């Protein structure tokens, strides 16, 4: 008698294969680049990942891959949304200004080996250039960030990541007039668009210069809380935890 297929197992295999394909397309042969998305994260981790270029010793488990997939699905939805606007000659912002759409484009900061893909750039008729990055979260972190008793942020990684993209966008278009983090609540579909100070473009550039020079000058950083790791929870989720422990 045949057993009914387990849908979770089939989905887990699909997610893994899709994730592997995405890695092959975006990162294979370019492992020596720092990931723009790792701005502000543990410098030991970025050393293992982008300088030593070692294989992860603690791959992301299936449950977390499924969670990450939800973010990928939302990003795909936004791509479809702005693909519609890019082919619709009557597109507008609030019915006033038409815009050109650029999305999922690669940026590279050559002098520091930094590479990434921005989510969305809208260029208005006026020439103004606006950068957007999409983030998904559940109701609990949403409450901590936007609720009545929201906590003061302890990390500015998203801002640093956006600033990194902002540097590349400024190089590409010659200017940048605004940057925004667009949050999507996966539980109730609420969205918030938060403006980010343009000063993060310079902050991110200086961050990557410091990381690059430190790794080339001193190699693997010593443990230093606030830098390596940048936050206390990082080690529990690190893809290089075992090799990092062995390097002590």
């Amino acid at each position: 008698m045949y057993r009914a297929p387990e849908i979770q197992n089939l989905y887990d295999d699909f997610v893994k294969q899709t994730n592997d394909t995405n890695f092959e397309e975006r990162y294979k042969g370019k492992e020596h680049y720092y990931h723009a998305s790792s701005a502000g994260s543990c410098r030991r981790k970025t050393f293992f990942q982008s300088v030593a270029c070692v294989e992860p010793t603690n791959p992301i488990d299936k449950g977390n891959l499924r969670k990450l997939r939800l973010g990928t699905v939302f990003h795909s939805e936004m791509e479809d949304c702005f693909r519609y606007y890019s082919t619709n000659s009557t597109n507008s912002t609030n019915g006033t200004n038409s815009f050109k759409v650029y999305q999922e484009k690669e940026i590279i900061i050559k002098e520091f080996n930094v590479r990434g893909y921005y989510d969305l750039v809208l260029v208005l008729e006026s020439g103004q250039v606006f950068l957007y990055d999409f983030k998904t979260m559940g109701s609990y972190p949403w409450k901590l960030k936007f609720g009545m008793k929201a906590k003061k942020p302890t990390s500015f990684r998203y801002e640093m990541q956006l600033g990194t993209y902002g540097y590349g966008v400024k190089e590409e278009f010659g200017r940048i007039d605004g940057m925004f983090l667009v949050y999507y609540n996966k539980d109730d579909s609420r969205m918030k668009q938060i403006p980010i100070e343009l000063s993060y473009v310079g902050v991110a550039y200086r961050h990557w210069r410091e990381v690059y020079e430190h790794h080339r000058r001193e190699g693997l950083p010593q443990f230093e809380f606030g830098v390596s790791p940048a936050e206390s929870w990082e080690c529990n989720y690190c893809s290089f935890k075992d090799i990092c422990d062995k390097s002590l």
Side-chain angles (χ1 to χ4, degrees), residues 17-78:
Q17 293 301 323
T18 303
N19 192 60
D20 289 347
T21 299
N22 180 67
F23 178 84
E24 288 285 330
E25 293 176 349
R26 288 200 170 192
Y27 302 106
K28 194 68 174 178
K30 300 179 181 180
E31 291 86 352
H32 67 286
Y33 283 103
Y34 292 112
H35 298 181
S37 58
S38 65
S41 64
C42 175
R43 296 188 186 183
R44 287 175 69 87
K45 177 182 178 180
T46 55
F47 181 89
F48 289 126
Q49 183 179 58
S50 303
V51 180
C53 296
V54 300
E55 289 290 326
T57 55
N58 305 77
I60 302 174
D61 63 36
K62 294 178 180 179
N64 282 317
L65 278 177
R66 290 197 297 271
K67 290 180 183 178
L68 291 173
R69 181 64 185 170
L70 289 176
T72 302
V73 170
F74 177 71
H75 276 71
S76 295
E77 182 77 352
M78 289 296 99

Side-chain angles (χ1 to χ4, degrees), residues 193-245:
Q193 179 171 306
I194 307 299
I196 303 301
E197 293 180 7
L198 289 173
S199 59
Y200 274 102
V201 173
V203 172
Y205 182 85
R206 292 188 292 273
H207 165 77
W208 285 117
R209 179 176 62 195
E210 184 178 332
V211 170
Y212 179 86
E213 292 177 350
H214 186 272
H215 283 165
R216 268 61 187 180
R217 183 178 63 249
E218 301 183 23
L220 179 65
Q222 297 297 313
F223 282 98
E224 178 187 352
F225 183 72
V227 178
S228 303
E231 297 182 74
S232 58
W233 54 264
E234 276 190 292
C235 296
N236 294 328
Y237 300 94
C238 183
S239 299
F240 302 94
K241 187 177 188 303
D242 288 350
I243 192 173
C244 186
D245 289 344

Side-chain angles (χ1 to χ4, degrees), residues 160-173:
M160 295 280 283
Q161 178 185 1
L162 191 63
T164 304
Y165 297 146
Y167 181 87
V169 167
K170 190 174 182 180
E171 290 287 294
E172 179 181 355
F173 295 94

Side-chain angles (χ1 to χ4, degrees), residues 7 18 43 86 92 115 138 157 216:
I7 298 301
T18 303
R43 296 188 186 183
S86 68
S92 64
R115 178 176 174 269
R157 291 191 190 187
R216 268 61 187 180

Side-chain angles (χ1 to χ4, degrees), residues 51-181:
V51 180
C53 296
V54 300
E55 289 290 326
T57 55
N58 305 77
I60 302 174
D61 63 36
K62 294 178 180 179
N64 282 317
L65 278 177
R66 290 197 297 271
K67 290 180 183 178
L68 291 173
R69 181 64 185 170
L70 289 176
T72 302
V73 170
F74 177 71
H75 276 71
S76 295
E77 182 77 352
M78 289 296 99
E79 283 186 57
D80 288 343
C81 169
F82 286 96
R83 192 174 293 116
Y84 161 78
Y85 283 112
S86 68
T87 58
N88 186 341
S89 60
T90 62
N91 69 62
S92 64
T93 56
N94 297 324
T96 56
N97 300 303
S98 62
F99 53 82
K100 291 184 178 179
V101 176
Y102 303 84
Q103 52 184 338
E104 287 297 317
K105 291 192 68 176
E106 181 183 59
I107 65 101
I108 293 178
I109 305 177
K110 292 183 178 180
E111 58 263 52
F112 307 135
N113 281 347
V114 181
R115 178 176 174 269
Y117 290 81
Y118 63 70
D119 286 341
L120 175 69
V121 167
L122 300 181
V123 180
L124 305 193
E125 282 184 317
S126 62
Q128 290 176 294
V129 178
F130 297 100
L131 168 67
Y132 303 81
D133 196 61
F134 304 123
K135 301 297 181 186
T136 58
M137 61 172 59
S139 290
Y140 182 68
W142 181 280
K143 180 179 178 180
L144 294 180
K145 188 169 187 66
F146 301 118
M148 294 290 291
K149 298 181 180 180
K151 293 186 176 181
K152 185 177 180 180
T154 59
S155 171
F156 296 92
R157 291 191 190 187
Y158 288 167
E159 289 84 352
M160 295 280 283
Q161 178 185 1
L162 191 63
T164 304
Y165 297 146
Y167 181 87
V169 167
K170 190 174 182 180
E171 290 287 294
E172 179 181 355
F173 295 94
R175 63 187 288 180
I176 184 167
D177 299 279
M179 305 192 303
F180 303 89
L181 288 170

